[in-house]
Amino acid sequence: VLSLIMAKDSRGSTPLHYLAYSRQCPFSSLQLMMDFCKPSCTEDGIILDPTLCTDSDGDTPLHWALDGYMSPRRIKELTRHSKDAMIVLNDAGKRPFDHFAANFIDSDWKIHDVCGREVWENIQSYLRVICHERHDEKEAQQEDGKPAEWLPLHLIAGSPYDFPPIFIDIALHFCKEDLSKTNADGYLPLHLACQRQSINIDYPCDGTVA
């Protein structure tokens, strides 16, 4: 099954690429395919990972999905087995979220508040489904059992994933007061930004890892 999912057409695209970008296929179809996309190791020690398969432009299925502004739950599903998909650079040096940002980076979100808020809400939706999986129960709940305050600026500032700079610009625009707030561990966004360590992929991202 894995060999079929990773089979490439003349453009180097796999079935997962097309499914990731398609609005015609139901979410359940993507879930079903992802059930068979767990990375596996061959007898030669090569790891096969459909999520990291790239097309002729170096784009992963996640690049395609974010370029198409797909729903947060689809993005979450595409990163189910490999969070590394978030940091794959294509041949143009762009990560998946750079494709998403390109949809509005030249828009007038700073001038028209409604447009800016819509963009910010979409960004937060992606951040919640992708990054909340990394939080432990201590971060998710306060001592009294209530949910911890949602602090997206802190999350972006301390995330090991390199998000497009415009994410910080928009976060500062709408959450400027959070600059002086501390999170559950007593950190300001500046504390988190100064101690963050980026995640980098140090192997070729063609879906196979030796």
Side-chain angles (χ1 to χ4, degrees):
V1 175
L2 197 61
S3 61
L4 293 176
I5 295 176
M6 296 183 68
K8 296 188 175 184
D9 63 11
S10 59
R11 298 174 53 194
S13 307
T14 68
L16 186 58
H17 279 88
Y18 290 105
L19 192 57
Y21 189 78
S22 175
R23 296 184 185 278
Q24 303 301 317
C25 294
F27 177 66
S28 57
S29 297
L30 177 60
Q31 283 184 306
L32 180 60
M33 181 171 285
M34 289 302 298
D35 286 343
F36 296 96
C37 287
K38 187 175 182 179
S40 64
C41 186
T42 67
E43 295 180 354
D44 298 326
I46 296 176
I47 298 175
L48 303 178
D49 190 343
T51 310
L52 298 182
C53 266
T54 55
D55 63 14
S56 58
D57 295 318
D59 289 332
T60 65
L62 190 61
H63 280 92
W64 282 39
L66 284 167
D67 186 47
Y69 228 123
M70 291 300 168
S71 68
R73 67 174 183 168
R74 287 179 181 266
I75 303 305
K76 180 179 180 179
E77 189 64 25
L78 285 168
T79 58
R80 189 208 300 183
H81 300 303
S82 299
K83 288 292 189 294
D84 281 353
M86 294 174 55
I87 55 176
V88 174
L89 293 171
N90 65 11
D91 293 347
K94 302 295 184 182
R95 294 183 173 87
F97 271 105
D98 292 322
H99 278 323
F100 166 71
N103 289 315
F104 58 83
I105 196 168
D106 293 325
S107 68
D108 51 1
W109 66 268
K110 291 184 179 179
I111 300 175
H112 299 292
D113 190 60
V114 174
C115 175
R117 287 193 177 279
E118 181 180 352
V119 169
W120 178 228
E121 288 301 321
N122 287 327
I123 289 175
Q124 290 185 87
S125 294
Y126 287 131
L127 292 176
R128 286 180 186 274
V129 300
I130 291 176
C131 298
H132 267 193
E133 295 182 1
R134 297 177 47 250
H135 292 185
D136 56 28
E137 291 299 319
K138 176 184 176 183
E139 293 175 313
Q141 293 186 344
Q142 299 176 355
E143 292 182 0
D144 57 8
K146 295 181 179 179
E149 183 180 5
W150 169 240
L151 298 170
L153 182 58
H154 291 66
L155 193 153
I156 296 173
S159 174
Y161 303 113
D162 292 324
F163 294 111
I166 196 172
F167 278 32
I168 283 288
D169 292 343
I170 296 180
L172 288 173
H173 182 76
F174 291 105
C175 302
K176 188 175 182 179
E177 65 280 0
D178 287 354
L179 281 171
S180 58
K181 288 184 179 180
T182 56
N183 64 9
D185 293 318
Y187 293 126
L188 296 169
L190 188 58
H191 289 125
L192 298 170
C194 290
Q195 64 177 304
R196 73 180 292 268
Q197 294 183 338
S198 298
I199 293 177
N200 293 304
I201 292 180
D202 56 2
Y203 49 78
C205 290
D206 58 356
T208 61
V209 185

